């Protein structure tokens, strides 16, 4: 069974940093492209970042470029999101999301999400 | 960045009725790389359609996707109680994916 379990969310002050982790199981992690997608409270979905299976290719939304860094450790079946210079508008549930096999883009599995709150 | 505009914002229908949801892109979506998701309160989204018209695994044929270029449609032929939710479109034809703002399908 495919499982994606996020951790690392919490309350952080504006300008602070946080590192999110996603533990993957039930599939060959290195064979899949992965993403972070977020959802502000009561709002819609916003794609944040993408990473290829090897980790060599990365994309970012303009809203987080230069502040967030996506990475993965295929030996540990883990995905990460390092978030720096956090702003109030980064407050959201952050989902770890797996791309559909053989494609880049559509997400077929999502974690349960971890809440990040940026507030003083 | 490609902006996706979904309409209507809210659709009020009864079980058994047909739902037609629209997603319009600000520029042509490359290779019709357009997906649809359903999200219920407190849950993660679920993939319904990818590549504009291909149903994801386990999705009943009541759900169908159509369209190309800048205009896409999700049709639910006969609404069942579990279909009342928020639906999002997503384009993945560029290196910066975007979602629409969502259409809420509610019970009339």
């Amino acid at each position: 069974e495919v499982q994606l379990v996020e951790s690392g969310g919490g309350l952080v002050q504006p300008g602070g940093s946080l590192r999110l982790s996603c533990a993957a199981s039930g599939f060959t992690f290195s064979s899949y492209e992965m993403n972070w997608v977020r959802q502000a409270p009561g709002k819609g979905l916003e794609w944040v970042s993408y990473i290829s299976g090897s980790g060599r290719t990365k994309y970012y939304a303009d809203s987080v470029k230069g502040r967030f860094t996506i990475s993965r450790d295929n030996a540990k079946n883990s995905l990460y999101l390092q978030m720096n210079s956090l702003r109030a508008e980064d407050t959201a549930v952050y989902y770890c999301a797996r791309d559909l096999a053989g494609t880049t883009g559509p997400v077929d599995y999502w974690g349960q999400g971890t809440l990040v709150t940026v507030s003083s | 960045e490609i902006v996706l505009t979904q309409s209507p914002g809210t659709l009020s229908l009864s079980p058994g009725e047909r739902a037609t949801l629209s997603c319009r892109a600000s520029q042509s979506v490359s290779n019709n790389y357009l997906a649809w998701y359903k999200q219920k309160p407190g849950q993660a989204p679920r993939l319904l359609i990818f590549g504009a018209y291909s149903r994801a695994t386990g999705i009943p044929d009541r759900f169908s996707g159509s369209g190309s270029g800048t205009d896409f449609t999700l049709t639910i032929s006969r609404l069942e109680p579990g279909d009342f939710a928020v639906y999002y479109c997503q384009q993945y034809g560029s290196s910066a994916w975007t979602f629409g703002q969502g259409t809420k399908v509610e019970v009339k």
Side-chain angles (χ1 to χ4, degrees):
Chain A
E1 179 194 4
V2 172
Q3 284 199 317
L4 300 169
V5 180
E6 302 94 338
S7 60
L11 175 64
V12 61
Q13 291 189 338
S17 298
L18 215 52
R19 188 195 196 206
L20 305 184
S21 299
C22 171
S25 60
F27 63 102
T28 305
F29 183 66
S30 60
S31 296
Y32 285 82
E33 300 160 19
M34 300 292 296
N35 302 268
W36 289 98
V37 178
R38 68 185 181 184
Q39 187 167 34
K43 302 297 183 183
L45 301 169
E46 181 186 14
W47 169 77
V48 172
S49 185
Y50 155 94
I51 188 168
S52 63
S54 65
R56 283 193 286 268
T57 302
K58 305 174 184 181
Y59 301 132
Y60 298 93
D62 287 345
S63 58
V64 307
K65 204 173 292 183
R67 300 188 299 123
F68 290 11
T69 302
I70 191 171
S71 62
R72 66 191 296 161
D73 186 334
N74 287 340
K76 294 183 177 179
N77 291 338
S78 293
L79 176 72
Y80 306 101
L81 185 69
Q82 177 65 43
M83 304 186 295
N84 298 331
S85 304
L86 282 161
R87 306 166 179 166
E89 54 265 35
D90 296 319
T91 294
V93 172
Y94 284 73
Y95 293 102
C96 169
R98 188 189 87 166
D99 273 357
L100 183 65
T103 67
T104 298
V107 170
D108 66 345
Y109 278 95
W110 303 70
Q112 84 289 350
T114 186
L115 177 62
V116 172
T117 303
V118 184
S119 174
S120 54
Chain B
E1 174 182 296
I2 297 177
V3 176
L4 299 179
T5 302
Q6 293 186 239
S7 61
T10 302
L11 201 49
S12 298
L13 296 168
S14 300
E17 289 194 297
R18 181 186 189 91
T20 302
L21 287 67
S22 173
C23 176
R24 178 163 290 179
S26 59
Q27 55 188 280
S28 184
V29 177
S30 176
N31 297 309
N32 294 325
Y33 282 166
L34 194 287
W36 289 93
Y37 299 85
K38 165 186 166 182
Q39 187 179 34
K40 300 185 110 175
Q43 296 183 13
R46 182 181 183 185
L47 178 66
L48 301 173
I49 301 287
F50 63 96
Y53 56 83
S54 298
R55 273 187 298 276
T57 301
I59 302 303
D61 58 9
R62 300 184 293 104
F63 292 86
S64 63
S66 62
S68 64
T70 60
D71 288 296
F72 299 89
T73 300
L74 174 70
T75 302
I76 311 171
S77 59
R78 296 172 308 279
L79 283 165
E80 294 189 356
D83 297 336
F84 293 93
V86 178
Y87 291 82
Y88 295 95
C89 58
Q90 175 212 10
Q91 69 78 25
Y92 51 99
S94 68
S95 60
W97 306 330
T98 50
F99 288 90
Q101 83 281 14
T103 289
K104 182 180 182 180
V105 178
E106 65 176 22
V107 178
K108 187 174 181 181

